[in-house]
Amino acid sequence: MAKVFVFLEGNNQDLKKGSLELLTAAKASGREVVAGLVGPGVKALAPKAAHYGAQTTFVCDAAELGHYNPETFTDAVTAMVKDSGADVVLASSSVLARDLFPRVAARLDSGVASDCTILKLDGGTVTVRKPLYSGKCTAEVEFVNSPVKIVLMRPNQLPVGQPDAAATAQTKDFPAPAASGKIKTKDLVKGSSSKTDLAEANIIVAGGRGMGSAENFKQLEDLANALGATVGASRAVADAGWVPHSMQVGQTGKTVAPSLYIAFGISGAIQHLAGMSGSKVIVAVNKDGDAPIFQKATYGLVGDLFELAPKLTEEFKKALHK
Ligand SMILES: Cc1cc2nc3c(=O)[nH]c(=O)nc-3n(C[C@H](O)[C@H](O)[C@H](O)COP(=O)(O)OP(=O)(O)OC[C@H]3O[C@@H](n4cnc5c(N)ncnc54)[C@H](O)[C@@H]3O)c2cc1C
């Protein structure tokens, strides 16, 4: 039976939503599903991989894999893909995967398509669609003469299936590859936010230059807390130092695709739209009725955000926390 290898990523001792989406798609394809996990403590995630469709899970679980190292991760994942015999590899288009999989593809003499939004796995053919030129157009890409087809999907594009708590999978351990020592991550400093990462968030409340100051972002934090959302920002705001660059959405920031994106005081420059136009519902709040963001918005509120943000927060609190 044809096989698909799914590279899984975890967060806070759980599989990321993007990984569950990929397992669901792999299972629905009717192929045999082999999952791969790399990092310290990842073996604990193997049962959940089975619940979502993995029939076999390859595990490279070692303390020295705590910090991403392109050399050791490339060795580990290449060994897993070769061992699996899969001709299709799926991974989330995360920062880690976009660094890792071109290296794996080179080892396997194969093609890789990143940042994909649509995946078709029909028999032996793999076709994907991906945005180009900051989302001005999309391209359909088919793999030709590629022994292994590597697809990196944007998170939040595919449904997550119902888990089968009774499902079990075989696991196979892989040894941690030896590091060449060419590079070494010495320290990793975590950000202060306990919120869901922007790229994975289901709801995003974002602020632009119209917020006026760093302090005013408190209003968006309040709204985000009421909604269970993550706060994002335009580049103008990150460049001004009001928020860290990790919160920037757009061409040179993060690409997001939440169910709901609420933009406050963001004009809608093409570079910002490039990062968020895949959102399912876009709400724009801007005092300028001609702001370009309204052309992309599902719903628009023309008015002063300092009046509208607190009102929205109150209404959402009433509606959601009765
Ligand atoms: C190579 C390159 C890459 C870039 N990458 C990115 C990127 O990744 N992400 C990104 O965001 N930008 C990016 N930019 C910058 C982009 O071109 C814009 O400059 C930026 O997005 C503007 O941010 P803004 O909408 O917050 O600010 P502005 O364009 O200044 O818009 C502020 C908006 O707030 C509204 N406003 C003001 N006060 C209020 C109020 N009280 N109530 C309601 N509305 C109000 C105004 O009407 C206005 O529409 C990039 C630019 C370049 C050249």
Side-chain angles (χ1 to χ4, degrees):
M1 189 197 266
K3 292 181 186 173
V4 53
F5 178 87
V6 185
F7 177 72
L8 305 177
E9 289 184 61
N11 202 359
N12 300 327
Q13 273 110 54
D14 203 357
L15 287 175
K16 289 191 176 183
K17 180 169 172 272
S19 295
L20 302 181
E21 293 175 20
L22 297 174
L23 283 170
T24 303
K27 186 179 174 190
S29 75
R31 289 162 165 259
E32 187 177 331
V33 182
V34 181
L37 284 159
V38 180
V42 289
K43 200 162 191 174
L45 300 175
K48 188 154 186 185
H51 298 165
Y52 283 88
Q55 284 146 290
T56 311
T57 303
F58 291 171
V59 176
C60 187
D61 189 333
E64 60 266 37
L65 296 168
H67 298 316
Y68 171 65
N69 177 324
E71 293 176 335
T72 48
F73 272 61
T74 302
D75 286 347
V77 174
T78 305
M80 286 179 173
V81 175
K82 281 185 177 166
D83 192 310
S84 73
D87 67 332
V88 177
V89 172
L90 302 178
S92 283
S93 201
S94 63
V95 175
L96 184 151
R98 276 181 280 141
D99 186 84
L100 171 64
F101 278 96
R103 301 167 193 272
V104 175
R107 296 273 188 89
L108 299 172
D109 196 20
S110 294
V112 56
S114 60
D115 206 24
C116 302
T117 52
I118 294 176
L119 167 69
K120 281 190 216 151
L121 262 176
D122 296 330
T125 316
V126 180
T127 314
V128 294
R129 190 163 272 282
K130 53 180 281 167
L132 295 177
Y133 305 111
S134 302
K136 288 196 200 73
C137 62
T138 61
E140 189 170 270
V141 179
E142 189 182 322
F143 291 84
V144 185
N145 295 331
S146 185
V148 181
K149 294 124 189 114
I150 303 177
V151 176
L152 309 186
M153 286 293 295
R154 276 190 194 175
N156 287 332
Q157 302 298 315
L158 300 166
V160 176
Q162 282 300 319
D164 174 1
T168 53
Q170 286 185 329
T171 56
K172 179 171 176 178
D173 292 319
F174 281 68
S180 70
K182 283 186 199 140
I183 61 162
K184 186 178 176 194
T185 304
K186 292 170 70 179
D187 191 18
L188 187 71
V189 181
K190 286 200 189 269
S192 56
S193 177
S194 58
K195 294 268 164 60
T196 310
D197 181 70
L198 271 178
E200 297 265 322
N202 194 37
I203 305 177
I204 293 174
V205 173
R209 202 173 348 231
M211 293 304 300
S213 71
E215 292 70 41
N216 289 338
F217 267 76
K218 170 82 177 63
Q219 300 200 15
L220 298 193
E221 290 287 349
D222 291 344
L223 177 55
N225 286 337
L227 278 171
T230 300
V231 178
S234 70
R235 175 162 160 178
V237 162
D239 283 350
W242 297 351
V243 301
H245 276 282
S246 58
M247 284 170 64
Q248 183 187 321
V249 173
Q251 185 183 326
T252 44
K254 296 212 168 126
T255 302
V256 299
S259 300
L260 174 63
Y261 188 93
I262 314 182
F264 287 89
I266 294 178
S267 59
I270 185 76
Q271 296 89 354
H272 187 79
L273 299 179
M276 47 63 81
S277 55
S279 308
K280 290 182 187 68
V281 173
I282 298 171
V283 178
V285 180
N286 199 302
K287 67 181 182 186
D288 174 7
D290 293 326
I293 188 107
F294 287 124
Q295 287 167 24
K296 275 279 171 198
T298 325
Y299 303 101
L301 296 175
V302 179
D304 188 340
L305 70 89
F306 297 110
E307 283 173 29
L308 292 168
K311 278 188 189 159
L312 284 170
T313 306
E314 278 315 303
E315 291 304 320
F316 280 124
K317 273 187 187 163
K318 273 190 230 160
L320 300 172
H321 306 281
K322 278 179 191 159

